[in-house]
Amino acid sequence: MAKTVRAHTNIALIKYWGKADDQLRLPLMSSLSMTLDQFYTDTKITASTTGNHFFLNNIEQTDKSAQRVFAYLKKLQQHFNVTGSLSVHSINHVPIAAGLASSSSAFAALAGAFCAYYELDVNQRQLSRLARLGSGSASRSIYGGFAVWQKGVDDATSYAYALDENPQQMDLHLLAIELNQQPKKLSSTGGMKQAQSSPFFKPWLARNEQEMAAMTSAIKENDFTHLGQLAELNASEMHAINLTAQPGFTYFEPDTIKAIKLVAQLRARGIECYYTIDAGPNVKVLCQLRNVKDVTNSFVSVFKNAKIVNASFGPGISCLD
Ligand code: ADP
Ligand code: DP6
């Protein structure tokens, strides 16, 4: 029996960047994301007679990423009291470890495929909690549109839910500017741990509730300008925390700064757009449909080798067989 599940990546507009509990992946802050139509992972689970295997993009993995998958499967098997060796075949339609959220779609798809394979009766909230145990941001990829991951206080209360507002009504595009597809040296898990040593980490954390409330109301009011301003500020805060950690670090490359400046120049010319950046050098630009062409053309003329993908709202998790 084989079960294949598809999950789309999500990009946080209010970021998760710190854990209260490493094992349970309980976050220190709540976060809010947009699920994307253009980037996703398909993960198939089958029975194996030769121990656990993990194939990523058709290549068997034996390194840290395989250990992470096997540890995760073991945790879920213990939790549900099920057994058996498994083969996991995963295809990523997203660059890996480049700050384009591969782990969000990866662990949502893996959690979904696991539950489908063992025919476990779980609802979306439970699935979100299970995905969270693999990668925090995966908790949000269970849902399409906008998703909120409420931080909660324990395993039972830390899960994501879909924002009720119909995202189809919001004119929102995310242009993923792939400046560099190389896997980063410092994982998100490592980066967010180091970030907590910044003197600005606590003050940033104290703003989380207010930032979540402001973003939620911008979405409810269909206010693109407010949404963009809030997303850009929150991302800049996260990267300022990284620069001021002890020792400081950054995911930025020279092209990242160039892209930030280009966004500001476009705005000054009346082309409204905002950036958000995750744990990698690549930049995502938020804009509305009427500006997609102008923003794309400007980026193409400055970054000759960049791949630019125009994404909008993607769906929640689905079973493919
Ligand atoms: P990003 O989310 O920016 O791509 P992260 O550091 O958060 O980077 O996560 C990347 C890690 O996620 C990879 O090193 C790998 O361990 C894991 N990963 C990526 N894709 C898959 C997949 N399809 N199945 C299982 N694990 C995956
Ligand atoms: C910057 O979810 O990849 O993309 O829980 O350690 O696997 P782990 O971290 P991960 O971190 C995502 C960080 C982020 C912001 C976000 O998606 O909220």
Side-chain angles (χ1 to χ4, degrees):
M1 187 190 51
K3 284 290 172 192
T4 308
V5 165
R6 173 171 295 177
H8 287 248
T9 66
N10 71 78
I11 293 296
L13 302 179
I14 299 292
K15 311 286 185 197
Y16 146 59
W17 197 240
K19 291 181 181 70
D21 183 314
D22 289 351
Q23 288 308 309
L24 290 173
R25 282 190 152 79
L26 299 180
L28 283 164
M29 65 287 280
S30 296
S31 53
L32 189 155
S33 62
M34 171 188 186
T35 299
L36 302 181
D37 53 358
Q38 299 295 322
F39 300 109
Y40 55 91
T41 298
D42 290 338
T43 296
K44 179 167 84 176
I45 293 189
T46 52
S48 162
T49 50
T50 53
N52 285 336
H53 295 279
F54 172 47
F55 296 85
L56 183 53
N57 296 342
N58 297 317
I59 298 169
E60 180 153 21
Q61 308 291 308
T62 50
D63 62 353
K64 271 200 322 211
S65 70
Q67 299 317 318
R68 183 170 174 177
V69 167
F70 298 153
Y72 179 65
L73 292 174
K74 192 170 165 197
K75 196 178 258 192
L76 294 197
Q77 285 185 325
Q78 282 169 349
H79 180 83
F80 288 103
N81 203 15
V82 292
T83 53
S85 295
L86 302 172
S87 264
V88 176
H89 286 260
S90 194
I91 305 285
N92 275 349
H93 299 266
V94 53
I96 301 167
L100 288 161
S102 70
S103 69
S104 69
S105 54
F107 284 92
L110 189 56
F114 182 92
C115 292
Y117 177 83
Y118 285 106
E119 297 178 338
L120 301 168
D121 185 20
V122 293
N123 60 31
Q124 286 201 313
R125 181 180 293 183
Q126 287 165 318
L127 194 53
S128 170
R129 286 170 49 203
L130 295 174
R132 188 201 77 228
L133 295 171
S135 182
S137 54
S139 64
R140 300 182 307 241
S141 272
I142 305 304
Y143 309 95
F146 291 111
V148 168
W149 175 15
Q150 61 174 35
K151 64 177 177 162
V153 291
D154 55 18
D155 179 51
T157 53
S158 186
Y159 54 81
Y161 56 87
L163 267 192
D164 285 340
E165 283 63 41
N166 180 1
Q168 308 311 332
Q169 284 169 4
M170 188 145 194
D171 176 4
L172 180 62
H173 286 255
L174 181 149
L175 303 181
I177 318 288
E178 298 179 26
L179 301 164
N180 183 336
Q181 293 211 357
Q182 289 306 307
K184 59 195 161 210
K185 293 189 185 79
L186 181 60
S187 68
S188 301
T189 311
M192 70 175 78
K193 209 176 178 101
Q194 199 167 322
Q196 287 192 45
S197 60
S198 163
F200 301 107
F201 189 81
K202 278 202 177 114
W204 182 45
L205 204 53
R207 285 171 44 72
N208 178 245
E209 218 169 294
Q210 179 194 330
E211 290 192 284
M212 285 293 290
M215 183 58 84
T216 309
S217 73
I219 292 168
K220 282 194 175 132
E221 285 156 22
N222 198 4
D223 185 342
F224 169 71
T225 299
H226 200 198
L227 179 148
Q229 288 170 342
L230 290 163
E232 191 171 292
L233 175 59
N234 182 267
S236 303
E237 287 167 337
M238 175 190 136
H239 291 280
I241 298 293
N242 295 345
L243 282 166
T244 50
Q246 302 296 310
F249 65 100
T250 186
Y251 290 103
F252 289 4
E253 296 291 342
D255 274 352
T256 315
I257 306 284
K258 227 168 150 181
I260 288 175
K261 288 189 164 186
L262 182 54
V263 167
Q265 282 161 15
L266 286 167
R267 267 207 308 266
R269 279 171 40 203
I271 301 169
E272 192 178 12
C273 57
Y274 303 89
Y275 66 78
T276 183
I277 306 170
D278 291 282
N282 297 307
V283 173
K284 292 117 220 177
V285 181
L286 299 165
C287 66
Q288 294 184 290
L289 181 61
R290 63 173 174 278
N291 286 323
V292 165
K293 223 172 168 177
D294 282 348
V295 175
T296 306
N297 289 342
S298 302
F299 271 89
V300 167
S301 66
V302 175
F303 300 99
K304 304 270 183 281
N305 299 319
K307 185 174 168 212
I308 301 179
V309 179
N310 172 15
S312 195
F313 293 105
I317 196 164
S318 61
C319 210
L320 301 183
D321 45 28

